[in-house]
Amino acid sequence: MSSKPDASRPRATDTKKVHIADTQMTRQNWYKHVNWLNVTFIIGVPLTGCIQTLWVPLQTKTAIWAVIYYFFTGLGITAGYHRLWAHCSYSATLPLRVWLALVGGGAVEGSIRWWSRDHRAHHRYTDTDKDPYSVRKGLLYSHLGWMVMKQNPKRIGRTDITDLNEDPVVVWQHRNYIKVVLCMGLIVPMLVAGLGWGDWYGGFVYAGILRIFFVQQATFCVNSLAHWLGDQPFDDRNSPRDHVITALVTLGEGYHNFHHEFPSDYRNAIEWHQYDPTKWSIWTWKQLGLAYDLKQFRSNEIEKGRVQQLQKKIDQKRAKLDWGTPLDQLPVMEWEDYVEQAKNGRGLISIAGVVHDVTDFIKDHPGGKAMIKSGLGKDATAMFNGGVYYHSNGAHNLLSTMRVGVIRGGGEVEIWKRAQKENSEYVRDETGQRIIRAGQQVTKMPEPTPTADAA
């Protein structure tokens, strides 16, 4: 006989430790949710640098060097970590890869391997719970919260980083990351300022600590601001957006809607006037023989995406407009009934077999009351399409909102033919509405149609 499990002994699942990120934050345990190491480096160290500026004067040469080194380390992230290693949008020679790995480490944003792994997860699982810095969790979270609050690594979406594990430069930088950070993040900027013009302390504070802070915040804007501010010219199903302000802050990474649609393109900005110094740098490296195999999406595919998004926006606007009752939903009227109702004072007019009630429009008719009244109770097709006046596209659109029926009889066959055509041949938008282009309204006739009544 099999023995029953002892209730006093813990089950295997009971010993499984729950990650702190999967527990509710309370007043008693909030400090356990905080990643104090990241808080120290991302907030504490920059705060210390800000305090030191009270007694460390900023020399002009140091300021210029800090800006230059800001661009170098920023490119290490944008052109190196991001476009080269995370997206493989171009290939680089060994000297360039080593340089990008070094200055990228000087930005103090983690190793290439760690950074690229999370970024690939971000692209694969954008705006979902598996996105490590999803803006759906809040703008502040996507900017900084995901770094300073502990995350359960098992909750982050899985990605393939086999290529990174096989790259000797990536492996070397990952294993020696702390050394790279200390050397490129603090020692090098201090040495240049110290040996160059004797400003050791200024180089440490301004070109070192504070420069790191500004580079980090700029990069964080790609995770937050680029998913919150701007337009979505290529797709609006997810949060990435394009905006020049974000581009200025992030060395060209602000055209984020384009980037999420075409992530393997080495460019973020495709227009000549858009700010993308990272793209210009990669192109320059190609001319110097340092970069090659620059990837670009075909312009035809890019424009298709742009047109599709424009059409989607047009469809959304079209859905809010009154295009009149569809032909196949209109009641059928006998000609005699139509004439009789018109004689009894109802302002009915028949154009191309469709009956319209213009009672409330007679007084507003631009051609005068007499002209429109002369067509009441008659077939005014020829009159409306040039027999008296060749009405504008706007007039045909307005007329469609006044439909009340279709005539049974002579015009009925053509009307139903058109109704069938609407259902089978006419293009419809994503909401199911027929796209009525200018000049294609049912009341718009290519030439004035002679009728027995008009004759």
Side-chain angles (χ1 to χ4, degrees):
M1 295 177 62
S2 60
S3 59
K4 295 182 179 181
D6 187 352
S8 63
R9 300 177 65 182
R11 298 180 183 177
T13 55
D14 294 338
T15 61
K16 190 174 181 180
K17 187 176 180 180
V18 178
H19 195 279
I20 186 65
D22 296 331
T23 64
Q24 185 176 3
M25 186 187 299
T26 64
R27 291 182 180 180
Q28 289 73 32
N29 72 354
W30 67 268
Y31 63 92
K32 294 182 181 179
H33 286 262
V34 178
N35 188 326
W36 291 106
L37 181 61
N38 284 349
V39 169
T40 300
F41 284 109
I42 297 175
I43 299 176
V45 174
L47 184 60
T48 303
C50 290
I51 294 174
Q52 290 176 343
T53 60
L54 297 176
W55 62 79
V56 179
L58 175 60
Q59 297 184 24
T60 302
K61 292 180 180 179
T62 303
I64 294 174
W65 164 235
V67 172
I68 292 174
Y69 202 53
Y70 170 89
F71 272 86
F72 283 172
T73 53
L75 285 174
I77 298 298
T78 60
Y81 280 38
H82 188 207
R83 303 193 196 185
L84 175 60
W85 281 296
H87 293 297
C88 305
S89 64
Y90 70 101
S91 298
T93 59
L94 181 61
L96 179 56
R97 284 161 53 215
V98 171
W99 183 78
L100 288 171
L102 290 173
V103 293
V108 194
E109 296 184 14
S111 70
I112 298 168
R113 184 180 183 277
W114 175 85
W115 196 101
S116 299
R117 181 252 180 267
D118 271 13
H119 191 73
R120 290 181 182 182
H122 165 66
H123 270 262
R124 187 178 184 183
Y125 304 100
T126 304
D127 297 339
T128 69
D129 289 338
K130 293 184 178 182
D131 181 348
Y133 26 86
S134 173
V135 76
R136 302 297 186 201
K137 298 179 181 179
L139 184 65
L140 184 60
Y141 179 88
S142 64
H143 185 80
L144 197 63
W146 71 280
M147 289 287 289
V148 299
M149 304 302 292
K150 292 180 180 178
Q151 288 197 77
N152 186 347
K154 295 182 180 180
R155 300 294 183 189
I156 300 174
R158 297 180 61 184
T159 57
D160 180 13
I161 56 171
T162 304
D163 58 318
L164 301 178
N165 292 333
E166 295 175 350
D167 188 326
V169 174
V170 174
V171 174
W172 171 83
Q173 195 232 37
H174 186 73
R175 290 176 178 173
N176 300 277
Y177 180 68
I178 299 300
K179 297 176 183 177
V180 173
V181 165
L182 293 175
C183 179
M184 300 302 296
L186 298 172
I187 296 175
V188 167
M190 181 178 65
L191 283 175
V192 172
L195 296 175
W197 49 91
D199 189 14
W200 295 90
Y201 208 5
F204 179 78
V205 173
Y206 294 104
I209 295 176
L210 294 184
R211 187 264 320 157
I212 291 173
F213 171 73
F214 285 115
V215 170
Q216 288 178 342
Q217 295 305 310
T219 304
F220 296 162
C221 283
V222 180
N223 303 333
S224 58
L225 203 61
H227 286 260
W228 178 72
L229 177 67
D231 302 320
Q232 296 177 300
F234 297 98
D235 193 4
D236 62 359
R237 292 176 299 171
N238 293 317
S239 61
R241 299 170 182 273
D242 289 357
H243 203 283
V244 64
I245 290 179
T246 316
L248 291 172
V249 172
T250 61
L251 301 186
E253 301 282 51
Y255 302 101
H256 213 50
N257 192 253
F258 172 86
H259 173 63
H260 268 256
E261 282 296 294
F262 312 103
S264 62
D265 197 307
Y266 86 98
R267 309 163 298 171
N268 260 207
I270 58 175
E271 305 294 343
W272 68 268
H273 55 83
Q274 293 176 324
Y275 180 76
D276 189 358
T278 302
K279 172 189 70 176
W280 303 332
S281 298
I282 296 172
W283 182 87
T284 302
W285 295 334
K286 178 185 177 183
Q287 310 313 308
L288 297 174
L290 296 172
Y292 56 97
D293 290 343
L294 277 59
K295 297 178 182 177
Q296 293 186 38
F297 260 83
R298 290 192 303 163
S299 58
N300 182 72
E301 307 313 308
I302 293 173
E303 288 308 308
K304 283 198 301 190
R306 196 196 305 271
V307 168
Q308 287 170 333
Q309 181 62 13
L310 286 173
Q311 188 63 60
K312 185 176 183 179
K313 292 179 179 179
I314 291 173
D315 291 346
Q316 291 170 350
K317 289 186 177 181
R318 179 186 290 110
K320 299 177 182 178
L321 302 177
D322 177 11
W323 295 92
T325 305
L327 293 177
D328 55 1
Q329 295 180 22
L330 292 172
V332 178
M333 298 179 65
E334 302 293 340
W335 177 261
E336 293 76 10
D337 184 39
Y338 157 68
V339 174
E340 184 66 25
Q341 290 190 42
K343 286 182 179 180
N344 291 333
R346 191 179 181 189
L348 298 183
I349 190 168
S350 173
I351 300 174
V354 182
V355 180
H356 307 82
D357 189 340
V358 297
T359 304
D360 296 331
F361 181 69
I362 293 176
K363 64 180 184 302
D364 299 321
H365 184 234
K369 297 180 181 179
M371 192 62 68
I372 193 172
K373 283 184 176 180
S374 67
L376 298 181
K378 302 177 182 178
D379 186 342
T381 304
M383 181 188 301
F384 195 78
N385 284 279
V388 174
Y389 180 72
Y390 197 67
H391 283 74
S392 67
N393 185 65
H396 284 275
N397 284 336
L398 178 61
L399 191 65
S400 69
T401 65
M402 304 177 189
R403 298 173 181 170
V404 294
V406 294
I407 296 295
R408 184 194 302 278
E412 179 196 9
V413 174
E414 293 303 318
I415 288 297
W416 293 128
K417 280 183 179 179
R418 293 188 188 187
Q420 292 301 314
K421 196 172 185 180
E422 282 188 354
N423 292 329
S424 61
E425 295 184 10
Y426 277 74
V427 178
R428 294 179 180 271
D429 63 25
E430 62 176 15
T431 66
Q433 294 194 39
R434 184 169 73 89
I435 298 176
I436 303 173
R437 305 192 188 282
Q440 292 185 351
Q441 298 89 341
V442 295
T443 51
K444 185 83 170 181
M445 307 299 290
E447 294 180 2
T449 305
T451 64
D453 191 72

